[in-house]
Each structure stands twice: as C-alpha cells, then as structure tokens.
Amino acid sequence: MTTSDIITYQYQHPSFLDRQRLLLSGYNEISPASCFFQGFLNQPYIVARCLITLSNIVQSSFNLSPFQMAMMRDPIATAGNEKLRFEGFSHCAGVYARVDVLPAAIDGTFPASGTVNVDFNQPMINALGGVGKQGQMMLNIGADAISVQTTATAKVVERKVPLPLKWIKGLTSVQIFLSAAEQVYSFNQLQAMQLFKSIPAGQPKPDYYLVMRGNKPMFSPAKAANAICVGGIHRLKLLEPLLPLASELKVFAGPDMQSTTWQLYFGDVRFSFSLSRESWRGFSGEGAALESLVADVPDEWLDAMNKYSHANQEFNPALMAISENIHFEQVDQLTGRMAAMGLLGYDLDERQFFYRQLPFKQSRILQLNPRMKDAEKLLEEDKVVILKNENNRVEARVEGSGVQHTVIIDPGKARCTCTWYAKHQGERGPCKHILAVKIKIG
C-alpha cells in the first residue's frame, strides 16, 4: 500500500484522563470533538452478533490474494442523529454490509457526531462473542477509538486506523445503487430460512435467480419473469448466522440488477447486505457516480453542502430542495459530489442520505475517479471535437491512441466505439470519451 492509498487524520489537541474516562482528541474539519457516543445498547446480544457478522464479512474475500487481503481494514463507525451505523466491505469490495442501531435500541448520549475507522481484532471479537442474551454492553465511540465493555469482559479498546481509498471508492458507488433500488420482496423468518437452504453448495459461477414457487421463495439457475438476478450467490452464506435471530428479510434490487441488497430486521437493529453484480467485481470499480461529476459545481456550494449535511446528519434531497429553495438539479449535483468523496450513505428504509464525516477534500474526486481524470486530460489536450449538436443529439470525435473514437449521445443513451464501451455497454459507468464529450457540451 502506498501513501496515496490511505486517508490520514491529524489531531491538534492531546487526549487526557478524566477520572475513569480516557477522553481522546479528535479531528473534525467543522468543529473539534473527541467523543461521538457514550452509553449502553438495549439490544446488546443482537448488536454483538451483527458486529461479529460484519467483521466476518470484512475479513472475507472472493477474488483477492492473501497479500492484497492484508491491505484492507475493518469497520467504519458513524454516530449521529441519535443513531449508530457500522459499515464495512469484504476485502474485494464486492460485498457491502451495514449495521444500523436505531434510537430505541440506544441508551446513551451523543456529545458530537462523527466517524471513525478501526480494526476489530480478536480481543474485540471475543468480547462481542461473550455477550449473552441477558448481558449488557457499554459502548464508547470517539474520534480516535472504539471501546466495548460487557458484563463478562473488561474494557476492550480498538484504535483508529487509516481509511483505504478503495473503501471510499466503494462507499461512493454503493450508495448510488442503493438510492436507485426498490423493495421487491419481504419474507418472514421461516421463508428466509427456506430461501437460504436453496443456496447451492460450493461457489457456483453461473447466475442464480430469486423466484417464487407459490408462497415459497427459492434460488434457481433458471431465469424466470420478474426474477431477481444474483451473481456470486455463495456470498449470501455470510448472512446465515443471523437468520435465526431476524424477524424479517427484505430484498431490494435496482432496475438494471447491477446490485442487490438483503436487509435483516431485529426490532430496532437492522443489518444491510449488498452484493455487486458478480463476485469478482467490487463496488470500488463500478464508476456509478461518474455521471454526477460532469456538471461544474463551485467549491463554495460544496462547502455549504458539507456544512448543511453535518448540521442535519440525514436529509431527503427532494425535501431539501423545497425547504432550502434550491433547484432540484443543483441538489442532485451537490449530493453527487458529496457521494463521490464518500461523505454520503443511503438508508433504504427511510429513503434518505446520511452523512459520514471524513477528511473533506474536493481534490479527492479525481483521485478516486481515474476515468474522470482521463476525461479532463482529453479536454486539456484538445482531443474532443463536437461534430453535431442539435435536436437533443450529439455526435463527437475523440482522439485515442492511434485511433479516432466516435461518441453519440441521445436522450437517455450514450454510445462509444471504444473497447471499454464494447465490453461493458455502460453497465459500469461511462467511458472516458463519453465523459469528456458530456463535460465539453456542458
């Protein structure tokens, strides 16, 4: 891992010990804060099991070597708006999981809002594993660490670690898929367990489909009308330990089936589990946010949006546009930019964004989106020529490496003669040539 592959925090104030509490200094680009949450959880057994499953997901990989796996990190914790969220990716970034602990499951205080990324090492896993159904768990989330103390164990502290850019890229793409997803099915516990029993053994390469046979859901290799396509179906087995504890399973899918989300419910705790289209494709390489980066957004707008998100923690873009008297298109551009830096997540149940407080750098956008960077370079080198722009149709020529590419943009459809487009047909975001043309025509 190179120094450009991580996001580094800097802290300007020392930590100090106050009676029995260690108060840790924190870095917050909007206001200084050291503690984000202190208190108990009302469903400690459920939360502990969810966090263990999240840690298992983070330690899983479906396409990386052991060396690459060693470069990945563990859960991201966000405290804000009286909620706790823990997020993580598999090593290959093709599986995204999140634990949402809602206000009714929390008995504590939120001195500030913020985000921290930590390692869950074996002592933490042991502490979580020791939480019984009648046990208690005290949780502290600070700018520099997370600590857990249970009725069976002494306090266990996990320190902040650098946040890999691969994870920020994954956070960028996965919320785009989530915001476009719609609920397709809702299953009770018995139906969910029946469904998971139909997962084939091993690691099947073909796609499988979620279909209904009467009132019974099942996975089938045969495609059917209105079926949900699931690639790398063996990855769903990571959810099996939680099924006996869940009261409900909801299944969400996007219109193009490029991602599916499986959401388990445990009273006031939710566990979300999102799969990329295939097991070898990570969310970090999808390029789903590229379209939202085409429009030029002033830095001062973005700074104001960052402050608004920090103050509100959660928001619905449409309601925000109405309440703040901002054009809907501008709100979409702003949320797209925020998401492209990993600052926004998406809550499927509440149909709104939530804010993660990460190091705020506008320049990170090009670093996280090399196709956008390549498109900007094509424009700088004057390699884009618009041949026709009329009747909502654009034809352009873009100079490549020893070849001229033709780009055609119609309403709702953009095509290019390059090999990237031929291979992916727009399923993994636009190619650099289409991006360059869209930027040039404004």
Side-chain angles (χ1 to χ4, degrees):
M1 179 181 292
T2 65
T3 55
S4 63
D5 290 330
I6 60 175
I7 300 300
T8 303
Y9 296 87
Q10 293 183 347
Y11 301 86
Q12 299 179 348
H13 307 287
S15 303
F16 64 94
L17 188 65
D18 178 20
R19 298 178 186 175
Q20 299 288 319
R21 296 184 303 163
L22 177 62
L23 302 180
L24 297 162
S25 174
Y27 177 74
N28 179 329
E29 291 183 302
I30 296 177
S31 61
S34 58
C35 180
F36 304 145
F37 172 77
Q38 295 176 320
F40 291 88
L41 302 179
N42 296 333
Q43 293 180 246
Y45 179 76
I46 292 296
V47 173
R49 265 53 198 172
C50 287
L51 291 179
I52 290 172
T53 301
L54 178 64
S55 183
N56 289 337
I57 291 168
V58 168
Q59 295 176 47
S60 300
S61 177
F62 301 95
N63 70 357
L64 296 186
S65 67
F67 173 76
Q68 290 171 311
M69 289 169 62
M71 295 168 61
M72 298 295 102
R73 297 295 182 179
D74 272 15
I76 303 166
T78 298
N81 207 36
E82 306 301 310
K83 297 175 184 175
L84 301 175
R85 304 184 194 267
F86 300 87
E87 304 171 87
F89 286 91
S90 60
H91 287 306
C92 54
V95 177
Y96 164 76
R98 189 177 78 234
V99 182
D100 293 331
V101 187
L102 306 180
I106 298 170
D107 181 13
T109 60
F110 291 80
S113 58
T115 301
V116 62
N117 185 53
V118 301
D119 267 324
F120 271 16
N121 293 304
Q122 197 58 46
M124 176 65 79
I125 299 301
N126 292 343
L128 295 172
V131 178
K133 293 184 178 180
Q134 305 302 319
Q136 289 188 328
M137 182 167 71
M138 184 175 184
L139 176 68
N140 284 266
I141 299 177
D144 218 16
I146 292 177
S147 70
V148 166
Q149 186 169 358
T150 73
T151 50
T153 62
K155 180 185 289 187
V156 177
V157 179
E158 294 287 9
R159 304 294 178 185
K160 179 184 67 65
V161 295
L163 183 60
L165 288 182
K166 185 182 183 72
W167 277 36
I168 297 182
K169 292 176 71 174
L171 293 173
T172 294
S173 292
V174 77
Q175 67 84 24
I176 298 292
F177 290 116
L178 288 174
S179 63
E182 297 290 344
Q183 180 182 327
V184 183
Y185 292 112
S186 175
F187 303 123
N188 59 33
Q189 184 190 71
L190 178 59
Q191 289 175 311
M193 295 186 74
Q194 288 176 333
L195 173 63
F196 273 65
K197 285 181 180 178
S198 68
I199 297 176
Q203 299 183 11
K205 293 182 179 180
D207 291 336
Y208 270 71
Y209 299 88
L210 171 53
V211 298
M212 297 296 294
R213 298 283 187 263
N215 291 325
K216 181 180 179 181
M218 63 180 298
F219 291 114
S220 170
K223 187 176 183 179
N226 301 319
I228 293 179
C229 180
V230 185
I233 194 172
H234 55 283
R235 296 176 291 173
L236 282 173
K237 294 177 183 178
L238 290 166
L239 281 181
E240 288 181 334
L242 295 178
L243 290 178
L245 305 174
S247 60
E248 184 181 11
L249 167 66
K250 290 183 181 179
V251 184
F252 300 80
D256 53 5
M257 297 291 177
Q258 293 302 302
S259 173
T260 57
T261 296
W262 311 74
Q263 196 152 277
L264 293 172
Y265 295 80
F266 315 85
D268 296 302
V269 178
R270 300 187 305 236
F271 192 98
S272 299
F273 184 88
S274 298
L275 296 178
S276 61
R277 179 62 180 80
E278 286 102 4
S279 58
W280 52 268
R281 274 171 55 178
F283 285 109
S284 61
E286 288 302 292
L290 290 172
E291 290 283 2
S292 63
L293 303 179
V294 171
D296 186 25
V297 178
D299 288 353
E300 57 268 24
W301 288 15
L302 194 57
D303 184 61
M305 182 65 178
N306 187 54
K307 289 182 171 63
Y308 175 91
S309 301
H310 178 265
N312 290 274
Q313 291 298 306
E314 297 177 339
F315 64 92
N316 179 291
L319 295 179
M320 174 190 167
I322 295 170
S323 62
E324 301 296 326
N325 195 27
I326 304 175
H327 196 279
F328 288 103
E329 185 177 350
Q330 291 178 339
V331 171
D332 287 342
Q333 293 170 359
L334 288 168
T335 54
R337 289 282 168 140
M338 295 283 287
M341 292 183 289
L343 299 175
L344 297 182
Y346 193 80
D347 190 311
L348 277 166
D349 274 6
E350 300 181 20
R351 309 303 299 182
Q352 62 184 9
F353 291 98
F354 65 87
Y355 179 69
R356 301 182 196 94
Q357 191 168 314
L358 302 177
F360 179 71
K361 295 181 180 179
Q362 168 77 339
S363 59
R364 186 191 303 154
I365 289 179
L366 291 183
Q367 185 180 3
L368 295 177
N369 297 278
R371 264 179 275 167
M372 179 61 69
K373 186 175 182 178
D374 290 342
E376 296 280 5
K377 185 176 180 181
L378 288 172
L379 291 168
E380 291 174 4
E381 296 176 353
D382 199 25
K383 292 184 176 181
V384 180
V385 178
I386 306 300
L387 303 176
K388 184 185 296 184
N389 186 357
E390 58 187 28
N391 299 324
N392 294 321
R393 178 182 176 86
V394 177
E395 295 183 21
R397 185 177 66 247
V398 182
E399 183 181 342
S401 300
V403 64
Q404 296 286 335
H405 298 295
T406 299
V407 172
I408 298 176
I409 301 176
D410 291 311
K413 180 72 173 179
R415 305 183 299 280
C416 182
T417 57
C418 71
T419 54
W420 171 271
Y421 183 85
K423 181 178 181 180
H424 302 292
Q425 297 293 310
E427 288 186 350
R428 303 188 66 181
C431 66
K432 62 183 179 181
H433 311 107
I434 291 175
L435 283 172
V437 173
K438 287 189 173 183
I439 294 171
K440 182 156 187 172
I441 63 176

